[in-house]
Amino acid sequence: MPGLNELLSSFDVEQGLLLPDSWRQGRTAYGGILSALGVAAALQAHAGALPPLRSAQVTFIGPAAGVLRFVPAVLREGKSVVNIGVDVYSDEALAARLSLVFGRARESTIAHDFAGPLPAGGPDAYRDFNMAAMPFAPAFTQNFQMRPAGGAMPLSGAEVPELLTWVRHLDAANVDPAVALIAMGDAMPPAAFSSFKAAAPISSITWNVELLEPQPQGEWFLLRSFSQHARDGYSSQDMQVWDTQGRVVMRGRQSVAVFA
C-alpha cells in the first residue's frame, strides 16, 4: 500500500498514473489525492519555482478511474500571482478540472485573524478511530490516522451535521506541505453523512480551498466540516483545518450530491 510519499515520488506528469486501489473511493479516485496530484502536476511542469499555493478550485466532473493523465497549463503569470489550470483525464474522458492560484508574499499594512480559538483539545487528548474498519469506509481512509474530537459521527442521524477530527498522514515524509495538506483536507466524509441513519451514496461535486499558511507545519491537523444547508439532494458545507498551534491553515467550501 503506497503512502503519499511513495505515490508522489514515482509520479511523472508526462506519463500519467494508474492510481492504486488503496487511494480510491469506490470506483473513482479519492478527491483529496486527485486534487493533490493536480497541484503536484502544476509544480512539476512549471519551468521555474512557483510561489506558494494560495487557493484551489476543483470541479469533479466524472469518475477518475484507469490511467489518470494530468494536463497543466499556465493561464497567466504576473508579478505576484501565477494562475494555472490542470485538466485531469481518465482514459481520455475529462474527470476533473482544477484552477490553481500561486501567489508571492507582498508587504502590506493589513493583517488580521478572526478565526477564533481551537475548537477542541490537542490530538493527544483523543483516541484513535479506525475509520477504515467501518463497512461504509472507502479504501483511501487506510492512509490516515484519525481521532474524532467532537461533533457527530457518520450515520448517527445527527441533527447538527458537524464532523470534527484530528487527522494525520501515515506517510507524508518529504512531501511538499501544501500538497500533503490538500491530500488530507477532504479525508472526512461530507458532513451531511452524519445525518444519515443508513449508508447511501454521497459524492463531492466541487471543492474550493484557500491556504492561509502556504507552508503548514506539523503532522496532525484538525479537520472540521459543517453542512450549512441541504435540500433537493445537495448539501453545501463549510470546512476549516487547524494545526496543533491553534492556527487555521486552510478554509474551504464544498458542494456535495446526496443520494438519500
Side-chain angles (χ1 to χ4, degrees):
M1 184 184 78
L4 185 65
N5 177 38
E6 183 179 348
L7 187 69
L8 288 174
S9 65
S10 61
F11 175 54
D12 185 338
V13 69
E14 297 291 338
Q15 299 296 322
L17 178 73
L18 180 61
L19 197 69
D21 289 342
S22 57
W23 282 102
R24 295 195 176 278
Q25 182 172 359
R27 62 174 179 158
T28 190
Y30 155 53
I33 196 62
L34 194 68
S35 303
L37 287 167
V39 175
L43 292 169
Q44 191 178 123
H46 194 262
L50 282 166
L53 180 66
R54 302 289 175 174
S55 72
Q57 297 176 316
V58 187
T59 302
F60 302 104
I61 297 169
V67 176
L68 302 180
R69 185 166 60 89
F70 297 79
V71 183
V74 176
L75 307 177
R76 184 180 186 276
E77 187 159 357
K79 293 181 179 179
S80 298
V81 172
V82 183
N83 297 85
I84 296 181
V86 182
D87 283 347
V88 185
Y89 291 89
S90 170
D91 291 334
E92 303 310 315
L94 187 62
R97 175 163 287 172
L98 289 77
S99 179
L100 308 174
V101 178
F102 299 83
R104 296 176 179 85
R106 299 190 305 270
E107 290 188 8
S108 175
T109 60
I110 306 302
H112 52 244
D113 186 350
F114 296 102
L118 188 71
D124 291 342
Y126 306 96
R127 295 181 179 180
D128 287 347
F129 175 71
N130 188 5
M131 179 74 75
M134 303 299 290
F136 60 81
F140 77 83
T141 55
Q142 62 192 296
N143 294 286
F144 301 99
Q145 184 177 359
M146 299 182 176
R147 294 178 178 175
M153 293 295 290
L155 301 180
S156 63
E159 294 185 2
V160 179
E162 179 186 40
L163 297 174
L164 192 66
T165 303
W166 283 102
V167 181
R168 79 173 186 94
H169 284 283
L170 293 183
D171 178 21
N174 304 315
V175 176
D176 181 291
V179 174
L181 189 63
I182 292 289
M184 174 192 292
D186 195 25
M188 296 302 297
F193 204 52
S194 66
S195 295
F196 286 27
K197 295 181 179 179
I202 195 165
S203 177
S204 297
I205 301 172
T206 61
W207 187 34
N208 302 324
V209 297
E210 297 175 354
L211 277 77
L212 309 184
E213 294 287 339
Q215 291 293 310
Q217 301 300 312
E219 292 188 340
W220 285 100
F221 293 91
L222 181 68
L223 275 59
R224 175 187 180 266
S225 59
F226 181 79
S227 178
Q228 293 183 318
H229 183 274
R231 190 173 63 194
D232 299 330
Y234 299 92
S235 167
S236 175
Q237 72 174 32
D238 185 55
M239 306 168 77
Q240 297 90 29
V241 180
W242 285 262
D243 64 13
T244 55
Q245 305 302 310
R247 296 171 296 197
V248 174
V249 296
M250 189 168 78
R251 290 185 178 275
R253 297 284 301 176
Q254 194 167 48
S255 178
V256 179
V258 176
F259 300 91

